[in-house]
Amino acid sequence: MLAVAVIAGILFVWSLLAHRLSRWSITAPIAMIGAGVALTAGSDPPLRFDFDTKAFEHAVEVVLALLLFVDAVEVPLSVIRREKGLFVRLLGIALPLTLGAAFAVGYLFFPGRPLWLLAVLATVVVPLDLAPAASVVRDRRIPGRLRETLNVEGGLNDGILSPVFLLCVTLGVESHGAQSDYVDALLTAVVASAWAVATGIAVGWTSGWLLGTSWVHGWTRGTAVRLGVFAVPVAAYTLSGALGGNGFVASFVAGVCFAPAMRHLPETAVEMTDDLVTLLTLALWFIFGQIINDVFGNDVPLSVVLYALIAVVLVRMIPVLLSLMGTQIRPADRLFLGWMGPRGVTSIVFGALAVTELPEQQADFIAQPMVMTVLASIVLHGLSAEPIARLYARLDRTGAR
């Protein structure tokens, strides 16, 4: 309970000074990381979290399920329809190439590691999270089309990567069995995904239709609708798990199927779930402070640092530039979309789940690159946000193309 009180107190203090702190690019995640590092450091720290418990694993899973649902619900369908070709390139071409690039760089920097482990690492360091550079998507100096594109891509990116990550982890766990059967593990993962999709469609569409109908006919009120929306990802996640499905995929699919119903519901319908997700992810940023201490308590090889830098700087940049070749998008905008791929909560959650599922040696290997990648992203993407906005303001004034 002390940890909850401390996290709440830090969050409250930050809320009092949020505007002033933003001048120095000190966002809520950065404040929570700093507090987490300070309060979990040393041999006898004031706070300490145990990552090896089922309770922690389930808590992290619930956070990710809620996050995936909110991301899917808040994706503006009008933007997807308007920019369909762009998203096909970013998610259908650039994203697989980015995964392949992360895997290839890992193969070069970490020779001798199992291929499945390098695949897990690739899925951990690739997902987008706009929190480390949140000011970018709110800065009106940057063209609205680019900000909308990042919002939509960020909302869909982690939902697409979740089943890939879980498949890689499943294969990794299977590889340590007495009699490894990868075909059986693959079939199990496919069946779990099928159950998840079916559950997500059923829960998302049905709940959306029922809530929309109830609101239109005046049978309910705003507070009840917000509670109902919160119940949707919880139901999809737990029901899918009970049926042997993938809860993450079910939550994301439920959000996709629920999203059309939002036009019949009040604008505040998803606010409670969104606020809860924000609060839970901030708690994860605090816990990330302890993970940083744990990682830096051991020697961090140069290969890990170089891998993280390449993962942040080039692994996304080059695939995005390749996928946008032949389009009418101006060079500056292509560079912006390639560069602005911050890593954050999804990488932390994937990394934490991998650490809890994999044997200790492999878990340590995943933790170090994950921490270095997220830290590098916070620094590089956070510091570059303001200069990029100023550059776009200058381009806008001069009419540059």
Side-chain angles (χ1 to χ4, degrees):
M1 294 303 293
L2 176 61
V4 175
V6 170
I7 292 173
I10 294 167
L11 182 60
F12 182 75
V13 172
W14 175 84
S15 70
L16 296 176
L17 304 171
H19 180 65
R20 289 185 174 274
L21 292 175
S22 66
R23 299 176 183 177
W24 294 282
S25 298
I26 301 177
T27 60
I30 292 176
M32 297 303 282
I33 291 172
V37 169
L39 294 174
T40 61
S43 57
D44 188 22
L47 295 176
R48 193 74 185 169
F49 298 92
D50 186 0
F51 300 140
D52 296 327
T53 64
K54 279 293 181 183
F56 175 77
E57 182 180 351
H58 290 322
V60 170
E61 289 176 350
V62 170
V63 172
L64 181 59
L66 293 174
L67 177 64
L68 291 172
F69 174 80
V70 170
D71 283 348
V73 167
E74 293 186 338
V75 168
L77 298 179
S78 59
V79 176
I80 294 180
R81 287 191 290 265
R82 188 175 69 243
E83 303 287 357
K84 180 172 62 177
L86 177 58
F87 292 120
V88 168
R89 288 174 177 268
L90 290 175
L91 297 172
I93 300 176
L95 182 55
L97 289 177
T98 301
L99 271 176
F103 177 85
V105 174
Y107 185 80
L108 291 175
F109 277 91
F110 309 116
R113 294 287 184 175
L115 296 182
W116 66 262
L117 188 60
L118 298 178
V120 172
L121 178 60
T123 60
V124 168
V125 302
V126 162
L128 269 63
D129 177 21
L130 299 178
S135 60
V136 169
V137 294
R138 296 193 298 265
D139 199 320
R140 295 189 177 276
R141 291 174 293 180
I142 295 172
R145 181 190 186 191
L146 299 181
R147 290 185 281 118
E148 290 175 342
T149 298
L150 277 181
N151 262 326
V152 173
E153 186 187 5
L156 298 176
N157 179 281
D158 46 6
I160 295 171
L161 287 172
S162 293
V164 180
F165 163 75
L166 291 170
L167 173 60
C168 293
V169 171
T170 299
L171 294 176
V173 172
E174 181 66 30
S175 70
H176 289 84
Q179 294 181 333
S180 301
D181 189 344
Y182 295 107
V183 174
D184 183 62
L186 180 60
L187 288 175
T188 300
V190 170
V191 171
S193 296
W195 273 114
V197 171
T199 304
I201 293 173
V203 173
W205 185 86
T206 303
S207 59
W209 180 79
L210 288 173
L211 276 176
T213 302
S214 178
W215 177 257
V216 169
H217 287 83
W219 299 339
T220 187
R221 53 188 178 183
T223 305
V225 168
R226 290 192 288 273
L227 289 170
V229 171
F230 171 73
V232 176
V234 176
Y237 175 79
T238 54
L239 180 59
S240 178
L243 295 174
N246 183 314
F248 301 146
V249 175
S251 298
F252 180 74
V253 173
V256 172
C257 295
F258 186 88
M262 286 299 296
R263 64 177 179 268
H264 303 300
L265 296 173
E267 294 182 359
T268 60
V270 78
E271 279 187 0
M272 187 185 81
T273 307
D274 196 8
D275 289 342
L276 180 60
V277 168
T278 300
L279 182 61
L280 293 175
T281 53
L282 286 176
L284 276 180
W285 282 113
F286 184 90
I287 294 172
F288 182 62
Q290 178 179 319
I291 299 175
I292 292 173
N293 287 328
D294 292 342
V295 166
F296 282 96
N298 303 312
D299 291 334
V300 179
L302 179 61
S303 58
V304 171
V305 177
L306 293 177
Y307 176 85
L309 290 174
I310 292 174
V312 171
V313 175
L314 296 177
V315 160
R316 171 180 164 85
M317 174 76 76
I318 295 175
V320 168
L321 293 179
L322 289 175
S323 70
L324 296 179
M325 290 177 62
T327 66
Q328 299 299 314
I329 300 175
R330 60 181 178 174
D333 295 346
R334 297 182 196 179
L335 288 171
F336 173 83
L337 291 174
W339 166 249
M340 197 48 66
R343 285 30 165 227
V345 167
T346 308
S347 291
I348 296 171
V349 171
F350 282 2
L353 291 176
V355 166
T356 58
E357 292 290 336
L358 299 177
E360 184 176 355
Q361 185 178 4
Q362 283 80 9
D364 291 341
F365 170 75
I366 293 295
Q368 287 188 337
M370 180 272 286
V371 168
M372 292 304 303
T373 300
V374 173
L375 285 177
S377 177
I378 289 172
V379 173
L380 295 177
H381 290 119
L383 292 178
S384 65
E386 179 60 26
I388 288 174
R390 287 200 300 265
L391 176 61
Y392 265 107
R394 193 179 308 123
L395 290 175
D396 191 47
R397 286 196 302 269
T398 59
R401 289 285 177 184

